[in-house]
Amino acid sequence: AQKVTQAQTEISVVEKEDVTLDCVYETRDTTYYLFWYKQPPSGELVFLIRRNSFDEQNEISGRYSWNFQKSTSSFNFTITASQVVDSAVYFCALNGQNFVFGPGTRLSVLP
Amino acid sequence: ETGVTQTPRHLVMGMTNKKSLKCEQHLGHNAMYWYKQSAKKPLELMFVYNFKEQTENNSVPSRFSPECPNSSHLFLHLHTLQPEDSALYLCASSQDRPAAGGLSSGNTIYFGEGSWLTVV
């Protein structure tokens, strides 16, 4: 069975703070893919990143960075110097046998 | 402009009405999906179409009826809905969808902006 856990239901930070969103997954597949999506209040899920299970190299894209740790089955997402526009619900997802989404973490960045 | 467009963005309907949600993808994908997102609940996969054929129906009530005339278009026909059906309905697409038990293709799923449905 596959499962994605995002233990943080809601997080509030003040603008310019760094924030890390946690994602822990479970799968028996040896080949799988991990994703992060952002859902602003408008509703659309915006694709942010895709990683495959064989590539544990961390990735940085502007203020966003991702830490993939296969040993702990985690794929955490860090936003550096957060901004109000980062306020959204963030979903972690796993694509193995099926595409499974986590429950999401609501991030509020306060001015 | 998003690669997956949904209309209408907002819909209010009575319980006896019949309406349809429309989705179109401009990404050349072969798999299309309907998801339901209710307040305080996880994303729920409703239907999957792969190369125009319905491959998954996750125990969705018959008052929701999907239609996929071609790989670019997906409809969700709604009739005699209940107030608890009020939710955000998200259409999505991906290159394809592996058969059950097959290896993951790792294809990214791209979403539309969603249709906010209110049943009164």
Side-chain angles (χ1 to χ4, degrees):
Chain A
Q2 297 183 143
K3 186 179 178 181
V4 175
T5 301
Q6 294 179 256
Q8 304 148 309
T9 306
E10 296 190 31
I11 301 176
S12 287
V13 298
V14 177
E15 208 169 16
K16 296 186 183 176
E17 286 184 6
D18 298 347
V19 58
T20 295
L21 310 180
D22 297 333
C23 173
V24 173
Y25 62 92
E26 295 175 28
T27 181
R28 294 180 183 173
D29 297 317
T30 54
T31 301
Y32 54 89
Y33 298 80
L34 296 163
F35 301 79
W36 275 96
Y37 288 82
K38 173 183 179 181
Q39 186 179 37
S42 59
E44 180 185 4
L45 269 79
V46 178
F47 164 69
L48 296 179
I49 189 171
R50 167 184 178 268
R51 303 294 279 170
N52 75 55
S53 51
F54 298 106
D55 182 2
E56 290 193 66
Q57 198 168 26
N58 292 329
E59 183 156 339
I60 297 175
S61 176
R63 296 184 296 107
Y64 294 171
S65 61
W66 291 270
N67 185 340
F68 177 25
Q69 297 271 345
K70 207 167 180 178
S71 59
T72 55
S73 297
S74 65
F75 186 43
N76 296 338
F77 173 29
T78 297
I79 301 175
T80 303
S82 60
Q83 300 176 3
V84 172
V85 293
D86 296 326
S87 297
V89 180
Y90 290 85
F91 292 92
C92 180
L94 165 69
N95 188 0
Q97 290 279 312
N98 296 297
F99 208 108
V100 178
F101 284 87
T105 296
R106 180 177 299 279
L107 173 65
S108 298
V109 181
L110 308 174
Chain B
E1 181 184 327
T2 178
V4 181
T5 56
Q6 290 186 240
T7 55
R9 292 295 321 279
H10 298 271
L11 177 63
V12 179
M13 60 185 288
M15 289 189 284
T16 58
N17 290 160
K18 287 185 180 181
K19 297 286 184 183
S20 296
L21 305 181
K22 178 183 175 182
C23 176
E24 182 175 0
Q25 58 95 0
H26 314 276
L27 301 169
H29 290 164
N30 296 302
M32 295 189 77
Y33 310 76
W34 280 115
Y35 281 85
K36 176 183 178 182
Q37 188 178 28
S38 305
K40 308 292 185 184
K41 286 188 178 180
L43 278 165
E44 300 172 53
L45 178 63
M46 300 174 72
F47 302 103
V48 181
Y49 279 80
N50 202 28
F51 292 92
K52 300 190 299 178
E53 298 297 320
Q54 187 181 123
T55 56
E56 291 181 47
N57 175 340
N58 287 315
S59 304
V60 180
S62 60
R63 57 186 184 271
F64 294 91
S65 174
E67 179 189 0
C68 188
N70 55 61
S71 291
S72 299
H73 293 86
L74 185 64
F75 295 88
L76 188 62
H77 303 301
L78 317 168
H79 60 99
T80 58
L81 295 192
Q82 304 298 312
E84 59 265 28
D85 296 322
S86 299
L88 176 66
Y89 289 84
L90 290 156
C91 176
S93 72
S94 68
Q95 187 59 45
D96 57 34
R97 174 84 164 185
L103 290 176
S104 169
S105 63
N107 291 323
T108 300
I109 293 182
Y110 294 92
F111 287 83
E113 293 176 300
S115 294
W116 294 91
L117 173 66
T118 302
V119 182
V120 297

